[in-house]
């Protein structure tokens, strides 16, 4: 068959996948079947599937066949046009903690659950906040892995950390209450504040953490109901607050009677952090984390550690919002916690992200970047006079997606910077993508 016909078939299959005519999970013909159907040589059929794989549209599984991949074409949580990805884009805008054993782990776990004594029980509705034995597993994990002592009665299971943050704010704040948050912070916090009609009070950033003197002044001048903090591996700036800074933050919260909302989504990446806020101020800290950043982004298994005095309100809010997370999800998650799988995966990811950070530091050497040495992201400030939207748009034309600083800013004006996620593409593609980012920035004259 002529060379252009192979290219035409690649394009036709790619179009059918992108337009949804071949939905995610569809099993495609075998290489031999594809070759026979279109009069191709077997090598040509293999080349077609290899190219579709490079485009991120299909995945081959040994012994099973070739399947259409599940790949989101648009992330409507991100306001930037650059997040509208086609399947072949090099994604520096979002992190997925993928690892080679993920599919095998899932298959083994599903077999384990199917062989359990009463698999039908997984289809019954768990109580709000999770079953007590599952909350006890999280309690044991937190004591072992995070040095946080919390009884199962103070732990609630939720559908990911984002829901945990949302529930904490909904349970403890009223519309138009003030929520203090870093001037650059996790975008999901801005979304929940807007949805709940909360007033966000930006805390300026210093090189090593939030400006606590300014936070203290804000709390003196205004009635601040809650302080959102990421003391252990801040997103997007990567800082880890010292023990002294944490004690100062706790002192501010106590003197002004504020709740502390501790966002620990990436805390596992700091091997030996100072004590968590939940340990320093258990009477006013709501600690929120999940397995989305360490095991699988789609698992949606999160947990909250809450003070005794607000446990009833938290449970009632969970019940009103979602009742509970699916029983099969919590059953899988706690088995992975109990078996040590999560701890092993966290260690592996610390090593992997450290390798990627080292690569990024080498390629972006001399540029104004900030990052934790084990984080799967970095913060890249642009040269004076260079606009982030121009760079993001130019990178999008080169099929590279990045996140602009405006998605992270709680202030009216965002700095001209980019957040680059390092975890969503194969390692061998990361270096060329980062090199293209550097070349694109250096090619632009400031304006």
């Amino acid at each position: 068959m002529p060379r252009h016909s192979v290219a035409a078939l690649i394009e036709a299959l790619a179009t059918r996948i992108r337009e949804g005519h071949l939905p995610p999970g569809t099993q495609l013909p075998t290489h031999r079947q594809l070759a026979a159907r279109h009069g191709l040589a077997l090598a040509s059929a293999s080349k077609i599937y290899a190219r579709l794989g490079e485009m991120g549209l299909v995945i081959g599984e040994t012994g099973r066949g070739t399947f259409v991949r599940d790949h989101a074409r648009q992330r409507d949580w991100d306001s930037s046009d650059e997040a509208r990805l086609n399947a072949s884009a090099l994604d520096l805008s979002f992190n997925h903690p993928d690892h080679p054993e993920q599919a095998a782990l899932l298959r083994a776990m599903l077999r384990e659950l199917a062989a359990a004594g009463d698999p039908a029980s997984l289809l019954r509705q768990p109580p709000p906040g999770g079953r007590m034995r599952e909350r006890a597993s999280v309690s044991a994990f937190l004591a072992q892995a995070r040095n946080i002592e919390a009884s199962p009665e103070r732990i609630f299971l939720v559908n990911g950390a984002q829901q945990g943050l949302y529930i904490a704010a909904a349970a403890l704040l009223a519309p138009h209450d003030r929520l203090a948050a870093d001037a650059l912070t996790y975008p999901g916090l801005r979304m929940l504040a807007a949805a709940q009609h909360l007033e966000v009070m930006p805390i300026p950033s210093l090189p090593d953490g939030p400006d606590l003197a300014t936070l203290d002044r804000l709390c003196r001048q205004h009635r601040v109901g809650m302080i959102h903090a990421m003391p252990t591996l801040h997103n997007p700036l990567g800082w880890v607050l010292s023990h002294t800074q944490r004690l100062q933050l706790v002192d501010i919260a106590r003197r002004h009677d504020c709740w502390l909302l501790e966002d620990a989504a990436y805390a596992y990446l700091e091997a030996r952090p100072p004590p968590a806020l939940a340990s320093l101020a258990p009477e006013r800290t709501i600690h929120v984390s999940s397995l989305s950043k360490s095991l699988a982004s789609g698992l949606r298994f999160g947990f909250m550690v809450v003070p005794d005095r607000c446990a009833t309100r938290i449970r009632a809010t969970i019940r009103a919002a979602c009742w509970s997370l699916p029983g099969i999800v919590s059953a899988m998650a706690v088995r992975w916690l109990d078996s040590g799988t999560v701890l092993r995966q966290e260690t592996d990811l610390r090593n992997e992200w450290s390798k990627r950070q080292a690569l990024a530091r080498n390629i972006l050497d001399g540029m104004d970047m900030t990052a934790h040495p084990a984080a799967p992201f970095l913060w890249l400030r642009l040269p004076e006079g260079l606009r982030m939207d121009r760079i993001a748009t130019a990178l999008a034309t080169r099929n590279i997606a990045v996140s602009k600083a405006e998605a992270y800013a709680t202030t009216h004006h965002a700095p001209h910077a980019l957040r680059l996620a390092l975890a969503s593409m194969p390692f061998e593609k990361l270096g060329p993508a980062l090199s293209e980012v550097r070349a694109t920035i250096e090619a632009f004259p400031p304006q």
Side-chain angles (χ1 to χ4, degrees):
M1 191 174 220
R3 185 183 182 94
H4 72 271
S5 297
V6 172
L9 187 52
I10 292 171
E11 183 59 31
L13 286 170
T15 299
R16 293 189 68 198
I17 292 171
R18 289 169 178 156
E19 293 180 354
H21 300 299
L22 292 173
T26 299
Q27 184 168 11
L28 299 176
T30 66
H31 293 220
R32 291 188 182 278
Q33 289 170 339
L34 184 70
R37 184 176 301 175
H38 296 281
L40 300 172
L42 184 58
S44 296
S46 298
K47 183 184 299 184
I48 289 169
Y49 280 156
R51 178 58 186 142
L52 291 172
E54 292 171 356
M55 296 165 69
L57 297 177
V58 304
I59 184 169
E61 296 188 21
T62 303
R64 299 187 68 234
T66 303
F67 298 82
V68 175
R69 293 193 68 165
D70 184 5
H71 197 300
R73 296 185 61 198
Q74 178 174 339
R75 300 195 187 101
D76 55 12
W77 52 265
D78 188 334
S79 61
S80 66
D81 291 339
E82 292 71 46
R84 293 178 172 84
L85 298 174
N86 62 50
S88 62
L90 296 174
D91 189 2
L92 293 173
S93 69
F94 193 72
N95 283 315
H96 301 279
D98 292 336
H99 56 98
E101 295 79 23
Q102 223 169 38
L105 276 175
L106 179 59
R107 290 194 187 97
M109 180 55 66
L110 292 174
R111 287 194 294 268
E112 180 180 329
L113 293 176
D118 184 16
S121 66
L122 300 177
L123 299 179
R124 300 184 192 123
Q125 186 166 262
R131 300 179 180 91
M132 191 56 69
R133 66 179 181 275
E134 294 169 341
R135 293 156 71 182
S137 289
V138 174
S139 174
F141 173 78
L142 287 171
Q144 177 190 10
R146 306 288 186 266
N147 202 25
I148 296 174
E149 300 291 338
S151 66
E153 291 78 13
R154 292 177 52 216
I155 293 171
F156 294 91
L157 309 184
V158 288
N159 291 278
Q162 175 66 26
Q163 188 179 73
L165 298 173
Y166 190 97
I167 285 169
L172 303 175
L173 299 177
H176 310 298
D177 278 357
R178 295 184 179 94
L179 169 67
D182 296 316
L184 292 166
T185 194
Y186 164 59
L189 188 79
R190 292 177 48 201
M191 296 177 192
L192 75 83
Q196 297 185 32
H197 306 287
L198 303 174
E199 181 182 352
V200 177
M201 309 289 288
I203 309 168
S205 298
L206 299 175
D208 62 347
D211 185 339
L212 296 178
T214 297
L215 173 62
D216 190 28
R217 185 166 60 251
L218 282 173
C219 291
R220 286 199 309 269
Q221 295 172 346
H222 307 278
R223 175 69 186 99
V224 175
M226 180 177 284
I227 302 169
H228 173 265
M230 289 179 277
T232 306
L233 215 154
H234 183 275
N235 177 19
L237 298 177
W239 66 51
V240 176
L241 299 190
S242 68
H243 196 166
T244 299
Q245 288 172 302
R246 293 168 196 239
L247 291 176
Q248 292 172 341
L249 180 55
V250 165
D251 178 63
I252 291 169
R254 283 176 172 155
R255 283 191 287 106
H256 300 290
D257 194 22
C258 305
W259 293 105
L260 286 169
L261 182 55
E262 183 174 30
D263 185 342
Y266 287 103
Y268 75 94
L269 290 169
E270 175 65 22
R272 293 180 178 83
L277 300 181
S279 298
L280 297 174
E283 83 286 354
R284 65 182 58 254
T285 301
I286 300 90
H287 178 95
V288 178
S289 192
S290 76
L291 301 186
S292 297
K293 306 302 184 185
S294 60
L295 198 62
S297 58
L299 187 61
R300 310 315 305 159
F301 178 86
F303 42 89
M304 309 172 66
V305 180
V306 309
D308 287 325
R309 63 186 174 122
C310 68
T312 300
R313 274 184 283 173
I314 295 290
R315 186 178 188 277
T317 305
I318 292 173
R319 182 173 183 172
C322 64
W323 190 279
S324 63
L325 73 167
I328 192 169
V329 170
S330 58
M332 288 192 298
V334 298
R335 280 170 166 79
W336 281 321
L337 289 171
D338 292 344
S339 67
T341 298
V342 173
L343 276 178
R344 289 192 295 273
Q345 174 65 9
E346 289 180 350
T347 299
D348 290 345
L349 287 182
R350 274 196 295 270
N351 294 333
E352 175 65 20
W353 302 161
S354 296
K355 184 172 70 169
R356 291 176 180 238
Q357 278 290 345
L359 176 68
R361 288 177 184 276
N362 181 54
I363 293 173
L364 302 177
D365 182 48
M367 304 187 81
D368 189 359
M369 62 169 281
T370 299
H372 183 279
F377 54 82
L378 62 88
W379 189 252
L380 184 64
R381 299 173 188 86
L382 298 177
E384 186 71 26
L386 195 56
R387 297 183 58 83
M388 59 183 157
D389 52 343
R390 294 183 69 204
I391 296 299
T393 299
L395 288 169
T397 65
R398 292 161 172 78
N399 222 21
I400 297 176
V402 297
S403 294
K404 296 181 291 190
E406 63 188 9
Y408 297 83
T410 58
T411 53
H412 291 300
H413 299 288
H416 286 286
L418 303 175
R419 179 193 184 263
L420 304 183
L422 307 179
S424 291
M425 67 179 70
F427 184 81
E428 62 271 15
K429 293 186 178 182
L430 180 60
L434 292 172
S435 296
E436 186 66 39
V437 170
R438 178 169 194 141
T440 301
I441 292 172
E442 292 178 341
F444 266 87
Q447 67 172 24

